[in-house]
Structures are given as C-alpha cells and as structure tokens.
Amino acid sequence: MTPNEQFDAALTDEVPTLDTAWTVRWIRRSAEVLATNRAALNTLDRDIGDGDHGENMDRGFQAVLPKLEGLADETTPGAVLKLVATTLISTVGGAAGPLYGTAFLKAAGAVGSAESLDAAALVALMTAARDGIVLRGKAEEGDKTMIDAWSPAVNAAASAQAAGSGVAAVLHAAADAAEQGAQAAEPLVARKGRASYLGERAIGHRDPGSQSTALLLRAGADVALVAE
Ligand code: ADP
Ligand code: MG
C-alpha cells in the first residue's frame, strides 16, 4: 500500500493494521523527538525535580537505536517493544527508567507474538503500558505524574476504537488526550515522585514525565501513516 492509499484508508477507517515497521518507526521517531526536547524536558524537571528527565530519556532512547539495526525479518512488534523495555531499564535510571521500562515490557506482553496490530491491539498495548506504570509507581490519576497523560490517552484510544476508528485515528486520539492531560495536570500539587516534596510550589508547572509521555504517543501517531 502506498502512503496515499494508506492515508485514504485511514480516512475511511479501512485502515491497515500496523506492523513491526511501524513499531520501529515509532521508536526511532521517539528518539528523535526526545533528543530535540532534551533541554525542554530537563527544564521542566529543573522546576519541580532534579533537572535530569530529558537527559535520562534521551540516553535511553539513543541506546535503543543501534539495536533496531538489522533486526531479523521475523521480529514481531512485541519483540521490538521488549527490546525497548530492557534497554530503558538498563540505561535510563531515576524514576522514569523502571516506569517506562515496565510500560514497554507490559505493552510487549499485551501484544504477544502478533505480527500485526489492529486498533484493539493498540488499545491493549497502551492499556497494559499504563497499568504497568500504575503497578510499579502506585500513582493515581491526579497525582501529577506521567499517569495524568497515560490515563486520558488510554481512555480516548478505547473510546475511539469502540466507535469504530482505525489504527491511525486511535493513535491520534491517544496523543491528543495525552497532551491535554499533561496540560490539565499543571495546576495540581504532585503526590508522587520528587515533585511531591515541593507541595504547593509544584502548582502551575508541567510534570516532565507527562510531557515525555505526550511526546512518545504523538510520535507513534505521527508515523502511523508514513511508509519506511
Ligand atoms: P527522577 O525523578 O528519579 O529524577 P526522572 O526525572 O527521569 O526521574 O522522571 C521524573 C518523572 O517520573 C516525573 O515527572 C513523573 O512523571 C514520573 N514519576 C515519578 N514518580 C512516579 C510514580 N510513582 N508513578 C508514576 N510516575 C512517576
Ligand atoms: Mg529527574
């Protein structure tokens, strides 16, 4: 299918499923966007944390890139997600390393050995990622953490899928909701992570983890219709 055909298919909701090539594009685009936003994420974290979130995320995703070269033809989307998980766990550090590592590990488990992902599989992937972070970090929505981006994203993706949207529309719904969720959490006090030490001084600041989540989910949506 050409990119134009894919785009037309998306508009009519007759979207193709996404495959390993999409998963690789998603991670590569994420690495690119996190590198571009490294300083901005550090600045957000300097305001309500210790200033290293951009550095942490950039280091982790840069470490994944060489591992995406020369993947075997039979590599599944789940295997790529697992590779991301293990790399993030071993390279990111801080709070975000184990949290994002768990997210990608659970996402890998949710898609199993499927060769392609339909809209329902994408919802399952994102739901498992969010649930993994909650299991690990015990944050609830409203605690001003990355969960404030993940949870609205999962809800929006599930609603879009239930309404019959295809893969691209589901990913775009998730990205839009994550961005809105990150913004909606700005007026909140943080109840988890380093920012929770600041009490009311965290009010009015954007949580760096919710911002990196919004960037990751936007990257996935942006490459949904782009051919390699
Ligand atoms: P650290 O806080 O160790 O320096 P990072 O700066 O890389 O780690 O990541 C900070 C981000 O991690 C926060 O902005 C927040 O979104 C997220 N975070 C911290 N603790 C939790 C938690 N318990 N649950 C979910 N997310 C959390
Ligand atoms: Mg930090």
Side-chain angles (χ1 to χ4, degrees):
M1 206 182 265
T2 68
N4 275 343
E5 281 166 349
Q6 282 192 355
F7 194 68
D8 287 342
L11 290 179
T12 57
D13 267 343
E14 305 242 349
V15 284
T17 54
L18 296 173
D19 55 8
T20 300
W22 167 75
T23 316
V24 170
R25 286 199 303 276
W26 175 27
I27 302 310
R28 287 200 176 123
R29 177 65 68 93
S30 297
E32 193 182 316
V33 167
L34 289 166
T36 309
N37 284 272
R38 176 188 160 116
L41 291 169
N42 278 343
T43 300
L44 292 180
D45 196 31
R46 203 168 298 127
D47 288 341
I48 59 169
D50 59 354
D52 64 355
H53 188 62
E55 211 174 296
N56 291 340
M57 297 300 289
D58 183 37
R59 181 171 60 248
F61 276 81
Q62 288 303 316
V64 178
L65 288 180
K67 301 185 186 180
L68 299 176
E69 300 298 331
L71 290 176
D73 284 348
E74 63 273 19
T75 306
T76 58
V80 174
L81 297 172
K82 195 165 175 195
L83 191 63
V84 174
T86 52
T87 309
L88 296 184
I89 289 168
S90 62
T91 57
V92 176
L99 292 169
Y100 275 117
T102 304
F104 278 94
L105 201 60
K106 297 289 184 182
V111 301
S113 55
E115 286 175 9
S116 61
L117 309 175
D118 60 11
L122 291 175
V123 172
L125 182 165
M126 289 185 268
T127 304
R130 187 272 315 272
D131 291 351
I133 297 167
V134 169
L135 197 68
R136 182 101 200 193
K138 310 276 183 264
E140 293 173 9
E141 218 175 324
D143 284 351
K144 196 180 178 109
T145 69
M146 58 175 77
I147 289 302
D148 288 351
W150 276 104
S151 269
V154 167
N155 295 340
S159 298
Q161 191 262 326
S165 293
V167 288
V170 162
L171 290 171
H172 279 281
D176 290 348
E179 285 163 6
Q180 285 157 17
Q183 187 178 17
E186 285 180 11
L188 304 180
V189 165
R191 287 195 292 254
K192 285 280 184 296
R194 285 180 202 279
S196 65
Y197 309 147
L198 293 177
E200 301 209 334
R201 278 180 291 148
I203 290 175
H205 293 281
R206 179 164 303 204
D207 174 64
S210 68
Q211 181 66 8
S212 59
T213 292
L215 293 171
L216 283 177
L217 293 176
R218 177 60 66 198
D222 278 348
V223 298
L225 300 175
V226 182
E228 196 96 63

